[in-house]
């Protein structure tokens, strides 16, 4: 039999704890995530919503796989299949590729478009087509990509700032290998890692 004094002590102990915090339900968590995603725009949306970054790339036929754990560094990657920009075949033509990389599953640190130039007979046309792909991708996120497009068409190294991110265009001529033009968009605060 519990004595009255013991009951009072139990009641006091329980009341000292106060009301317990209610954990949000799964539906509440999903609604909060949807609201957060809806509020993002520009490169913030690219970096914070890996699925949106991949879906936009797939509109340009890159057939990007899921953003998933990868061997080595960076820890997460989504890699697209090369798209023929100019030429008769993938073996001899100029190819564009897409890669998204990051250190966590929730966030992309960098998105990279690479143009591999194997046939330079119509280089100006190749550069214009590649520039349109990159600018078209940015347009999906309501980003004005005119400065990036101009840099690609000029075919020279360049850097710049966009809302919510940094862009860099580099060129890698290699002995015995095709030249590459690489456009990278990096999240502020992210460390650029090799892809």
């Amino acid at each position: 039999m519990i004595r009255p004094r013991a009951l009072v002590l139990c009641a006091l102990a329980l009341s000292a704890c106060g009301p317990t915090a209610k954990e949000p339900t799964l539906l509440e968590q999903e609604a909060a995530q949807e609201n957060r995603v809806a509020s993002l725009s520009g490169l913030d949306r690219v970096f914070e919503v890996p699925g949106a970054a991949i879906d936009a790339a797939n509109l340009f036929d890159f057939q990007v796989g899921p953003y998933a754990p990868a061997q080595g560094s960076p820890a997460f990657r989504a890699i697209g299949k090369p798209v023929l920009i100019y030429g008769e075949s993938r073996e001899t033509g100029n190819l564009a590729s897409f890669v998204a990389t990051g250190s966590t599953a929730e966030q992309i640190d960098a998105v990279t478009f690479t143009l591999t130039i194997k046939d330079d007979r119509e280089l100006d046309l190749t550069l214009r087509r590649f520039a349109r792909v990159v600018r078209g991708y940015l347009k999906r996120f309501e980003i004005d990509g005119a400065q990036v497009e101009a840099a690609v068409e000029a075919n020279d190294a360049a850097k710049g700032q966009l809302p919510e991110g940094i862009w860099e265009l580099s060129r890698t001529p290699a002995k015995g290998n095709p030249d590459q033009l690489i456009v990278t968009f990096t999240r502020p605060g992210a460390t650029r890692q090799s892809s």
Side-chain angles (χ1 to χ4, degrees):
M1 178 176 186
I2 300 176
R3 298 185 177 176
R5 178 176 161 86
L7 284 174
V8 170
L9 290 175
C10 286
L12 286 173
L14 288 174
S15 67
C17 296
T20 58
K22 182 182 168 191
E23 290 292 322
T25 66
L26 182 59
L27 287 176
E28 289 169 337
Q29 291 174 19
E30 288 175 352
Q33 175 67 3
E34 284 177 20
N35 288 336
R36 186 183 77 77
V37 167
S39 71
L40 296 172
S41 62
L43 284 176
D44 277 345
R45 190 169 177 82
V46 172
F47 298 134
E48 300 291 331
V49 188
I54 291 167
D55 288 347
N58 285 334
L59 292 174
F60 298 91
D61 205 27
F62 283 109
Q63 300 177 41
V64 182
Y67 185 63
Q71 295 291 327
S73 180
F76 290 84
R77 286 188 202 124
I79 300 172
K81 294 184 179 177
V83 174
L84 185 64
I85 295 288
Y86 172 82
E88 296 178 10
S89 72
R90 291 175 188 262
E91 290 72 33
T92 61
N94 299 332
L95 304 173
S97 59
F98 172 92
V99 178
T101 58
S103 55
T104 68
E106 294 79 25
Q107 192 174 58
I108 290 173
D109 292 334
V111 166
T112 303
F113 291 88
T114 302
L115 173 64
T116 301
I117 304 167
K118 300 176 188 175
D119 182 346
D120 63 1
R121 287 176 297 174
E122 293 285 344
L123 187 56
D124 287 346
L125 175 60
T126 296
L127 293 171
R128 278 197 308 274
R129 287 179 176 173
F130 181 63
R132 273 184 278 175
V133 168
V134 175
R135 187 171 186 183
Y137 181 83
L138 294 174
K139 192 172 184 180
R140 301 295 307 168
F141 298 96
E142 299 178 355
I143 300 167
D144 179 7
Q147 60 180 315
V148 180
E149 183 178 33
V152 170
E153 289 184 9
N155 192 20
D156 202 5
K159 288 183 181 182
Q161 184 80 35
L162 289 170
E164 310 93 26
I166 301 162
W167 67 270
E168 180 178 358
L169 188 149
S170 59
R171 194 138 170 36
T172 61
K175 293 178 183 173
N177 293 316
D179 287 352
Q180 288 189 322
L181 197 64
I182 303 161
V183 181
T184 304
F185 300 94
T186 306
R187 181 178 58 79
T191 302
R192 187 149 174 225
Q193 301 172 1
S194 60
S195 50

